[in-house]
Amino acid sequence: MAGHEYYEYNTSNFGGERQNVIASGYYEPDAASVLVDFYGNSDQYKLLSFFGSAEYSYKKKYFLSASVRTDGSSRFHPDKRWGTFWSVGGSWRIIEEDFLEEARISGQLSNLSLRASYGAQGNDNISYYAYQALYSIYNNLGESGLTASRLATPDLTWETNLNLNIGLDLGFFNNRLSGTIEYFERRSKDLLFSKSLVPSTGFSSTSQNTGAIRNYGWEFLVEGYPIVTKDWRWKLSVNATTYKNKIVSLPSEEMWSGSKNG
């Protein structure tokens, strides 16, 4: 399978405020004599993607899959705009092997499958114009003025999340009793992070790709049907999860926030 995706988001808004309405019962802006505020802005975001995937199975026992996609986001500099992400996966239906034929036919063992997958995903969840130097417009004694509001970050690019899953699926007595054991791990690198700057720079922070975290754990699931009749089935499920979050690296040895006057 091959595909193409294009996403565009445009928004515009404006508004204002006037005071001293001439008399009650009037709701049109022209009925107020004092202009207090007027504002308006527009934003635009574009994402262009190309992707493809392939699957293969052999003798209903062995399954392979692979996918790749490349994404271009308007939130990054043209030289850093594109990111390529991929995934691979496979499963082995051990229950279909000849050495388990007797257990399969008797129904004592109805499912035994091993599966694994590993892949990367991209994240561009940051402000619309993150790589650009921006300025704020203000009124300077009746003349238009500019103040720098954000530093340029042309090296900013995609955050990458690497996901690993390994699972074992079990079924007994024609799947009247079943269960799953799964290990998962998620590694995030090149995090889109707002790094604090010293106040003397005139800026409180700047966006960077920095730091890495790791999330991992185990999931357990057991399901069964203690009572099965012609008109009624009673299903019970028990699940448990272990979860750990580890900071692999930080943008700096010391992290601080707040202020102190003295």
Side-chain angles (χ1 to χ4, degrees):
M1 181 194 71
H4 164 259
E5 180 181 7
Y6 175 72
Y7 174 81
E8 181 174 339
Y9 173 78
N10 294 281
T11 178
S12 298
N13 67 84
F14 67 90
E17 179 184 351
R18 293 173 71 107
Q19 292 180 351
N20 294 353
V21 179
I22 191 66
S24 62
Y26 292 90
Y27 304 102
E28 292 75 11
D30 283 350
S33 59
V34 179
L35 177 63
V36 177
D37 191 19
F38 185 76
Y39 58 88
N41 57 71
S42 298
D43 283 312
Q44 186 179 65
Y45 166 59
K46 295 180 180 181
L47 180 68
L48 179 63
S49 306
F50 301 92
F51 54 87
S53 65
E55 297 181 352
Y56 176 76
S57 64
Y58 180 70
K59 292 186 176 181
K60 297 182 179 180
K61 300 179 186 179
Y62 316 106
F63 301 85
L64 294 174
S65 63
S67 67
V68 63
R69 68 178 292 143
T70 181
D71 300 295
S73 172
S74 64
R75 299 184 180 186
F76 304 122
H77 188 274
D79 294 338
K80 301 286 186 177
R81 184 155 291 171
W82 291 90
T84 300
F85 311 99
W86 51 270
S87 68
V88 293
S91 62
W92 175 25
R93 283 189 51 79
I94 309 173
I95 189 65
E96 298 296 334
E97 296 291 349
D98 294 339
F99 60 83
L100 290 178
E101 182 178 5
E102 184 177 342
R104 183 175 67 249
I105 293 175
S106 67
Q108 293 181 355
L109 183 63
S110 47
N111 185 26
L112 180 60
S113 300
L114 180 66
R115 51 186 169 79
S117 64
Y118 185 69
Q121 294 176 320
N123 174 31
D124 69 339
N125 188 17
I126 199 168
S127 57
Y128 291 129
Y129 317 105
Y131 72 93
Q132 294 178 318
L134 299 182
Y135 299 84
S136 296
I137 302 173
Y138 72 103
N139 185 343
N140 182 20
L141 300 177
E143 299 294 333
S144 296
L146 294 174
T147 58
S149 61
R150 181 161 57 192
L151 293 172
T153 53
D155 293 329
L156 198 67
T157 189
W158 288 85
E159 175 184 308
T160 301
N161 300 306
L162 298 167
N163 299 281
L164 170 67
N165 290 83
I166 302 174
L168 180 67
D169 299 319
L170 301 160
F172 305 92
F173 314 116
N174 294 318
N175 284 327
R176 188 164 179 176
L177 177 65
S178 61
T180 296
I181 303 172
E182 184 168 349
Y183 173 78
F184 63 89
E185 181 174 305
R186 177 186 178 97
R187 291 178 178 265
S188 300
K189 65 177 185 177
D190 298 328
L191 300 177
L192 293 171
F193 186 83
S194 181
K195 183 180 180 180
S196 298
L197 299 176
V198 293
S200 59
T201 62
F203 299 90
S204 60
S205 63
T206 184
S207 298
Q208 291 185 0
N209 290 104
T210 185
I213 60 173
R214 177 185 174 218
N215 314 105
Y216 60 98
W218 290 85
E219 289 186 350
F220 305 91
L221 173 65
V222 177
E223 294 182 331
Y225 295 88
I227 299 177
V228 178
T229 67
K230 180 180 179 181
D231 302 318
W232 189 61
R233 290 163 57 119
W234 178 26
K235 180 180 179 180
L236 290 178
S237 299
V238 177
N239 65 78
T241 302
T242 68
Y243 183 84
K244 292 185 178 181
N245 185 25
K246 182 179 180 180
I247 299 175
V248 179
S249 65
L250 291 171
S252 60
E253 294 183 1
E254 296 182 356
M255 305 289 291
W256 55 271
S257 63
S259 60
K260 180 180 179 181
N261 297 322

